[in-house]
Amino acid sequence: MLTPNTWRKSSFSGGDQGDACVEVAHLDTHIGIRDSKTPDRAALTFPPAAFTPFIESLKFEGSARS
């Protein structure tokens, strides 16, 4: 588990150059995600119960496009 307010690069960030990076963090009562190229901009935050369905829907969308 992440320590509060500590961002880390997602293991699913893609791109051969490592340029499609997303960071995630456990933020007290929410899970945050942000673009690692612009960390000072707004982050999306989700209650923990909503984060997993959000990620699963992204995986489904990605596989449907393949």
Side-chain angles (χ1 to χ4, degrees):
M1 177 138 224
L2 297 170
T3 58
N5 301 322
T6 300
W7 293 90
R8 68 171 179 91
K9 190 179 292 185
S10 169
S11 61
F12 290 100
S13 292
D16 294 332
Q17 308 297 336
D19 57 357
C21 299
V22 176
E23 295 177 327
V24 296
H26 181 263
L27 305 168
D28 297 324
T29 62
H30 286 72
I31 304 296
I33 59 173
R34 69 181 183 185
D35 183 342
S36 64
K37 295 182 297 295
T38 54
D40 294 332
R41 297 186 84 179
L44 295 173
T45 60
F46 299 87
F51 186 71
T52 299
F54 171 73
I55 296 300
E56 291 301 320
S57 71
L58 293 176
K59 291 178 187 177
F60 178 76
E61 284 295 319
S63 66
R65 293 180 189 197
S66 300

Coordinates of all heavy atoms in Angstrom, one line a residue:
M1 N 0.8 -1.2 0.0 CA 0.0 0.0 0.0 C 0.9 1.2 0.0 O 2.0 1.3 0.6 CB -0.9 0.0 1.2 CG -1.8 1.2 1.4 SD -3.4 0.6 1.9 CE -4.4 1.6 0.9
L2 N 0.4 2.3 -0.6 CA 1.1 3.5 -0.7 C 1.0 4.3 0.6 O 0.0 4.2 1.3 CB 0.6 4.4 -1.8 CG 0.7 3.9 -3.2 CD1 -0.1 4.7 -4.2 CD2 2.1 3.8 -3.7
T3 N 2.1 5.0 0.9 CA 2.0 5.9 2.1 C 1.2 7.1 1.7 O 1.2 7.5 0.5 CB 3.4 6.3 2.6 OG1 4.1 6.9 1.6 CG2 4.1 5.0 3.1
P4 N 0.6 7.8 2.6 CA -0.2 9.0 2.2 C 0.6 10.0 1.4 O 1.7 10.3 1.7 CB -0.7 9.6 3.6 CG -0.7 8.4 4.5 CD 0.5 7.6 4.0
N5 N -0.1 10.5 0.4 CA 0.5 11.6 -0.5 C 1.8 11.2 -1.2 O 2.5 12.1 -1.5 CB 0.6 12.9 0.3 CG -0.7 13.3 0.9 OD1 -1.8 13.2 0.2 ND2 -0.7 13.8 2.1
T6 N 2.1 10.0 -1.3 CA 3.3 9.6 -2.1 C 2.9 9.1 -3.4 O 2.1 8.1 -3.5 CB 4.0 8.4 -1.3 OG1 4.4 8.9 0.0 CG2 5.3 8.0 -2.1
W7 N 3.3 9.7 -4.4 CA 3.0 9.4 -5.8 C 4.0 8.4 -6.3 O 5.2 8.5 -6.1 CB 3.0 10.6 -6.7 CG 1.9 11.5 -6.4 CD1 2.0 12.6 -5.5 CD2 0.6 11.5 -6.9 NE1 0.7 13.2 -5.4 CE2 -0.1 12.6 -6.3 CE3 -0.1 10.7 -7.8 CZ2 -1.5 12.9 -6.5 CZ3 -1.4 11.0 -8.1 CH2 -2.1 12.1 -7.5
R8 N 3.5 7.4 -7.1 CA 4.5 6.5 -7.8 C 4.0 6.2 -9.2 O 2.8 6.3 -9.5 CB 4.6 5.2 -7.0 CG 3.3 4.3 -7.0 CD 3.6 2.9 -6.4 NE 2.4 2.2 -6.4 CZ 2.0 1.3 -7.4 NH1 2.7 1.2 -8.5 NH2 0.9 0.6 -7.3
K9 N 4.9 5.9 -10.1 CA 4.5 5.6 -11.5 C 3.8 4.3 -11.6 O 4.1 3.3 -11.0 CB 5.8 5.5 -12.3 CG 5.4 5.5 -13.8 CD 6.7 5.5 -14.7 CE 7.4 6.8 -14.5 NZ 8.6 6.9 -15.4
S10 N 2.7 4.3 -12.3 CA 1.9 3.1 -12.5 C 2.7 2.0 -13.2 O 3.4 2.4 -14.2 CB 0.6 3.4 -13.3 OG 0.0 2.2 -13.7
S11 N 2.5 0.8 -12.8 CA 3.2 -0.3 -13.5 C 2.6 -0.5 -14.9 O 3.2 -1.2 -15.7 CB 3.1 -1.6 -12.7 OG 1.8 -2.0 -12.6
F12 N 1.5 0.1 -15.2 CA 0.9 -0.1 -16.5 C 1.1 1.1 -17.5 O 0.6 1.1 -18.5 CB -0.7 -0.3 -16.4 CG -1.0 -1.6 -15.8 CD1 -1.3 -1.7 -14.4 CD2 -1.0 -2.8 -16.5 CE1 -1.6 -2.9 -13.8 CE2 -1.2 -4.0 -15.9 CZ -1.6 -4.1 -14.6
S13 N 2.0 2.0 -17.1 CA 2.3 3.1 -18.0 C 3.1 2.6 -19.2 O 4.0 1.8 -19.0 CB 3.2 4.2 -17.2 OG 2.4 4.8 -16.3
G14 N 2.6 2.9 -20.3 CA 3.2 2.3 -21.6 C 4.1 3.3 -22.3 O 4.6 4.3 -21.8
G15 N 4.3 2.9 -23.5 CA 5.1 3.7 -24.4 C 6.6 3.2 -24.4 O 7.1 3.0 -23.3
D16 N 7.1 3.0 -25.6 CA 8.5 2.6 -25.7 C 9.5 3.5 -25.0 O 10.5 3.1 -24.6 CB 8.9 2.3 -27.1 CG 8.0 1.2 -27.7 OD1 7.6 0.3 -27.0 OD2 7.8 1.2 -29.0
Q17 N 9.2 4.8 -25.1 CA 10.1 5.8 -24.5 C 9.7 6.1 -23.0 O 10.3 7.0 -22.4 CB 10.0 7.1 -25.3 CG 10.2 6.9 -26.8 CD 11.6 6.4 -27.1 OE1 12.5 6.6 -26.4 NE2 11.7 5.7 -28.3
G18 N 8.7 5.5 -22.5 CA 8.3 5.8 -21.2 C 7.6 7.1 -21.0 O 7.6 7.7 -20.0
D19 N 7.0 7.6 -22.2 CA 6.4 8.9 -22.2 C 4.9 8.9 -22.0 O 4.3 10.0 -22.1 CB 6.8 9.6 -23.5 CG 6.3 8.8 -24.7 OD1 5.8 7.7 -24.6 OD2 6.5 9.3 -25.9
A20 N 4.3 7.8 -21.7 CA 2.9 7.7 -21.4 C 2.7 7.3 -20.0 O 2.2 6.2 -19.7 CB 2.2 6.8 -22.4
C21 N 3.1 8.1 -19.1 CA 3.2 7.7 -17.7 C 2.1 8.3 -16.8 O 1.7 9.5 -16.9 CB 4.5 8.1 -17.1 SG 5.9 7.3 -17.9
V22 N 1.5 7.5 -16.0 CA 0.5 7.9 -15.0 C 1.0 7.6 -13.7 O 1.7 6.5 -13.5 CB -0.8 7.1 -15.3 CG1 -1.9 7.4 -14.3 CG2 -1.3 7.4 -16.7
E23 N 0.8 8.5 -12.7 CA 1.2 8.2 -11.3 C -0.1 8.0 -10.5 O -1.1 8.6 -10.8 CB 2.0 9.4 -10.8 CG 3.3 9.6 -11.5 CD 4.0 10.8 -11.1 OE1 3.4 11.9 -10.7 OE2 5.3 10.8 -11.1
V24 N 0.1 7.2 -9.5 CA -1.0 6.9 -8.5 C -0.6 7.2 -7.1 O 0.6 7.1 -6.8 CB -1.6 5.5 -8.7 CG1 -2.2 5.2 -10.0 CG2 -0.5 4.5 -8.4
A25 N -1.5 7.5 -6.2 CA -1.2 7.8 -4.8 C -2.4 7.5 -4.0 O -3.5 7.7 -4.4 CB -0.7 9.2 -4.6
H26 N -2.1 7.0 -2.8 CA -3.2 6.9 -1.7 C -3.2 8.2 -1.0 O -2.2 8.6 -0.4 CB -2.8 5.8 -0.8 CG -3.9 5.6 0.3 ND1 -3.8 6.1 1.5 CD2 -5.1 4.9 0.2 CE1 -4.9 5.8 2.2 NE2 -5.6 5.1 1.4
L27 N -4.3 9.0 -1.1 CA -4.5 10.3 -0.6 C -5.5 10.3 0.5 O -6.6 10.6 0.3 CB -4.9 11.3 -1.7 CG -4.0 11.3 -2.9 CD1 -4.6 12.1 -4.0 CD2 -2.6 11.9 -2.6
D28 N -5.1 10.0 1.7 CA -6.0 9.9 2.9 C -7.2 9.1 2.6 O -7.2 7.9 2.8 CB -6.4 11.3 3.4 CG -5.1 12.1 3.9 OD1 -4.2 11.4 4.4 OD2 -5.1 13.3 3.6
T29 N -8.3 9.6 2.1 CA -9.5 8.9 1.9 C -9.8 8.6 0.4 O -10.9 8.0 0.1 CB -10.7 9.7 2.4 OG1 -10.8 10.9 1.7 CG2 -10.6 10.0 3.9
H30 N -8.9 8.9 -0.5 CA -9.1 8.7 -1.9 C -7.9 8.1 -2.6 O -6.8 8.2 -2.0 CB -9.5 10.0 -2.6 CG -10.9 10.4 -2.3 ND1 -11.3 10.9 -1.1 CD2 -12.0 10.4 -3.1 CE1 -12.6 11.3 -1.2 NE2 -13.0 10.9 -2.4
I31 N -8.0 7.6 -3.8 CA -6.9 7.2 -4.6 C -6.8 8.3 -5.7 O -7.8 8.7 -6.3 CB -7.2 5.9 -5.3 CG1 -7.5 4.8 -4.3 CG2 -6.0 5.5 -6.2 CD1 -6.3 4.5 -3.3
G32 N -5.6 8.8 -5.9 CA -5.4 9.8 -6.9 C -4.6 9.3 -8.1 O -3.8 8.4 -8.0
I33 N -4.9 9.9 -9.3 CA -4.1 9.6 -10.5 C -3.8 10.9 -11.2 O -4.6 11.8 -11.1 CB -4.8 8.6 -11.5 CG1 -6.2 9.1 -11.9 CG2 -5.0 7.2 -10.8 CD1 -6.8 8.2 -13.0
R34 N -2.6 11.0 -11.8 CA -2.2 12.2 -12.5 C -1.2 11.9 -13.6 O -0.7 10.8 -13.6 CB -1.6 13.2 -11.5 CG -0.3 12.8 -11.0 CD 0.3 13.8 -10.0 NE 1.6 13.4 -9.5 CZ 2.3 14.0 -8.6 NH1 1.7 15.1 -8.0 NH2 3.5 13.7 -8.2
D35 N -1.1 12.8 -14.5 CA -0.1 12.7 -15.6 C 1.3 13.0 -15.0 O 1.5 14.1 -14.5 CB -0.5 13.7 -16.7 CG 0.4 13.6 -17.9 OD1 1.5 13.0 -17.8 OD2 -0.1 14.1 -19.0
S36 N 2.2 12.1 -15.2 CA 3.6 12.4 -14.6 C 4.3 13.5 -15.3 O 5.2 14.1 -14.7 CB 4.4 11.1 -14.6 OG 4.6 10.7 -15.9
K37 N 3.9 13.8 -16.5 CA 4.6 14.9 -17.2 C 4.1 16.3 -16.7 O 4.8 17.3 -16.9 CB 4.3 14.8 -18.7 CG 4.9 13.6 -19.4 CD 4.7 13.5 -20.9 CE 3.3 13.4 -21.3 NZ 2.5 12.3 -21.0
T38 N 3.0 16.4 -16.1 CA 2.4 17.6 -15.6 C 1.9 17.4 -14.2 O 0.7 17.6 -13.9 CB 1.3 18.2 -16.5 OG1 0.3 17.2 -16.7 CG2 1.9 18.6 -17.8
P39 N 2.8 17.1 -13.2 CA 2.3 16.8 -11.9 C 1.7 17.9 -11.1 O 1.0 17.7 -10.1 CB 3.6 16.3 -11.2 CG 4.7 16.9 -11.9 CD 4.2 17.0 -13.3
D40 N 1.9 19.2 -11.5 CA 1.4 20.3 -10.8 C -0.1 20.6 -11.2 O -0.8 21.4 -10.6 CB 2.2 21.6 -11.0 CG 3.6 21.4 -10.4 OD1 3.7 20.7 -9.3 OD2 4.5 22.1 -10.8
R41 N -0.5 19.9 -12.3 CA -1.9 20.2 -12.7 C -2.8 19.3 -11.9 O -2.4 18.5 -11.1 CB -2.0 19.8 -14.2 CG -1.1 20.8 -15.0 CD -1.3 20.6 -16.5 NE -2.5 21.4 -16.9 CZ -2.9 21.5 -18.1 NH1 -2.3 20.8 -19.0 NH2 -4.0 22.2 -18.4
A42 N -4.1 19.4 -12.1 CA -5.1 18.7 -11.4 C -5.0 17.2 -11.5 O -4.6 16.7 -12.5 CB -6.5 19.1 -11.8
A43 N -5.3 16.5 -10.4 CA -5.3 15.0 -10.4 C -6.8 14.6 -10.3 O -7.6 15.3 -9.8 CB -4.6 14.5 -9.2
L44 N -7.1 13.4 -10.8 CA -8.4 12.8 -10.6 C -8.3 12.0 -9.3 O -7.3 11.4 -9.0 CB -8.7 11.8 -11.8 CG -8.8 12.3 -13.2 CD1 -9.0 11.2 -14.2 CD2 -10.1 13.3 -13.2
T45 N -9.4 12.1 -8.5 CA -9.4 11.3 -7.3 C -10.7 10.5 -7.2 O -11.7 10.9 -7.8 CB -9.3 12.3 -6.1 OG1 -10.4 13.1 -6.1 CG2 -8.0 13.0 -6.0
F46 N -10.6 9.4 -6.6 CA -11.7 8.4 -6.5 C -11.8 7.8 -5.1 O -10.7 7.6 -4.5 CB -11.5 7.2 -7.5 CG -11.4 7.6 -8.9 CD1 -10.2 7.9 -9.5 CD2 -12.5 7.5 -9.7 CE1 -10.1 8.2 -10.8 CE2 -12.5 7.9 -11.0 CZ -11.3 8.2 -11.6
P47 N -13.0 7.6 -4.6 CA -13.0 6.8 -3.4 C -12.5 5.4 -3.7 O -12.6 4.9 -4.8 CB -14.5 6.7 -3.1 CG -15.2 7.8 -3.9 CD -14.3 8.0 -5.1
P48 N -11.9 4.7 -2.7 CA -11.3 3.4 -3.0 C -12.3 2.4 -3.7 O -11.9 1.7 -4.6 CB -10.8 2.9 -1.7 CG -10.5 4.2 -0.9 CD -11.6 5.2 -1.4
A49 N -13.5 2.5 -3.3 CA -14.5 1.5 -3.9 C -14.8 1.8 -5.3 O -15.2 0.9 -6.1 CB -15.8 1.6 -3.1
A50 N -14.5 3.0 -5.8 CA -14.8 3.4 -7.2 C -13.6 3.2 -8.1 O -13.7 3.2 -9.3 CB -15.3 4.8 -7.3
F51 N -12.4 3.2 -7.5 CA -11.1 3.1 -8.2 C -11.0 1.9 -9.1 O -10.7 1.9 -10.2 CB -9.9 3.3 -7.3 CG -8.6 3.5 -8.1 CD1 -8.4 4.6 -8.8 CD2 -7.7 2.4 -8.0 CE1 -7.2 4.7 -9.5 CE2 -6.5 2.6 -8.7 CZ -6.2 3.7 -9.4
T52 N -11.2 0.7 -8.4 CA -11.1 -0.5 -9.2 C -12.0 -0.7 -10.3 O -11.6 -1.0 -11.4 CB -11.2 -1.7 -8.2 OG1 -10.2 -1.6 -7.2 CG2 -11.1 -3.1 -8.9
P53 N -13.3 -0.3 -10.2 CA -14.2 -0.4 -11.4 C -13.8 0.6 -12.5 O -13.9 0.3 -13.6 CB -15.6 0.0 -10.8 CG -15.5 -0.3 -9.4 CD -14.1 -0.1 -9.0
F54 N -13.2 1.7 -12.1 CA -12.7 2.7 -13.1 C -11.6 2.1 -13.9 O -11.6 2.1 -15.1 CB -12.3 4.0 -12.4 CG -11.5 4.9 -13.3 CD1 -12.2 5.6 -14.3 CD2 -10.2 5.1 -13.2 CE1 -11.5 6.5 -15.1 CE2 -9.5 5.9 -14.0 CZ -10.2 6.7 -15.0
I55 N -10.6 1.5 -13.2 CA -9.5 0.8 -13.9 C -9.9 -0.3 -14.7 O -9.5 -0.5 -15.9 CB -8.4 0.4 -12.9 CG1 -7.8 1.6 -12.1 CG2 -7.3 -0.4 -13.5 CD1 -7.2 2.6 -13.0
E56 N -10.9 -1.1 -14.2 CA -11.4 -2.3 -15.0 C -12.1 -1.8 -16.3 O -11.9 -2.4 -17.3 CB -12.3 -3.1 -14.1 CG -11.6 -3.9 -13.0 CD -10.5 -4.8 -13.5 OE1 -10.7 -5.5 -14.5 OE2 -9.5 -4.9 -12.8
S57 N -12.8 -0.7 -16.2 CA -13.5 -0.2 -17.4 C -12.4 0.3 -18.4 O -12.7 0.2 -19.6 CB -14.5 0.9 -17.1 OG -13.8 2.1 -16.7
L58 N -11.3 0.9 -18.0 CA -10.3 1.3 -18.9 C -9.6 0.0 -19.6 O -9.4 0.1 -20.8 CB -9.2 2.1 -18.2 CG -9.6 3.4 -17.7 CD1 -8.4 4.0 -16.9 CD2 -10.1 4.3 -18.8
K59 N -9.4 -1.0 -18.8 CA -8.9 -2.2 -19.4 C -9.8 -2.8 -20.5 O -9.4 -3.2 -21.5 CB -8.6 -3.3 -18.3 CG -7.5 -2.9 -17.4 CD -7.4 -4.0 -16.3 CE -6.4 -3.7 -15.3 NZ -6.4 -4.8 -14.2
F60 N -11.1 -2.8 -20.1 CA -12.1 -3.3 -21.1 C -12.2 -2.5 -22.4 O -12.2 -3.0 -23.5 CB -13.5 -3.3 -20.4 CG -14.6 -3.8 -21.4 CD1 -14.8 -5.1 -21.7 CD2 -15.5 -2.8 -22.0 CE1 -15.7 -5.5 -22.6 CE2 -16.4 -3.2 -22.8 CZ -16.6 -4.6 -23.1
E61 N -12.1 -1.1 -22.2 CA -12.1 -0.3 -23.4 C -10.9 -0.5 -24.3 O -11.0 -0.5 -25.5 CB -12.2 1.2 -23.0 CG -13.5 1.7 -22.6 CD -14.6 1.6 -23.7 OE1 -14.2 2.0 -24.8 OE2 -15.7 1.2 -23.4
G62 N -9.7 -0.7 -23.6 CA -8.5 -0.9 -24.4 C -8.5 -2.3 -25.1 O -8.1 -2.3 -26.2
S63 N -9.1 -3.3 -24.5 CA -9.2 -4.6 -25.2 C -10.2 -4.6 -26.3 O -10.1 -5.3 -27.3 CB -9.5 -5.7 -24.2 OG -10.7 -5.6 -23.6
A64 N -11.3 -3.8 -26.1 CA -12.3 -3.7 -27.2 C -11.8 -3.0 -28.4 O -12.3 -3.3 -29.5 CB -13.5 -3.0 -26.6
R65 N -10.8 -2.2 -28.3 CA -10.2 -1.5 -29.4 C -9.2 -2.3 -30.2 O -8.8 -2.0 -31.3 CB -9.6 -0.2 -29.0 CG -10.7 0.8 -28.5 CD -10.0 2.1 -28.0 NE -11.0 2.9 -27.4 CZ -10.9 4.2 -27.1 NH1 -9.8 4.8 -27.5 NH2 -11.8 4.8 -26.5
S66 N -8.7 -3.3 -29.6 CA -7.6 -4.1 -30.2 C -8.1 -5.0 -31.3 O -9.2 -5.3 -31.4 CB -7.0 -5.1 -29.1 OG -6.4 -4.3 -28.1

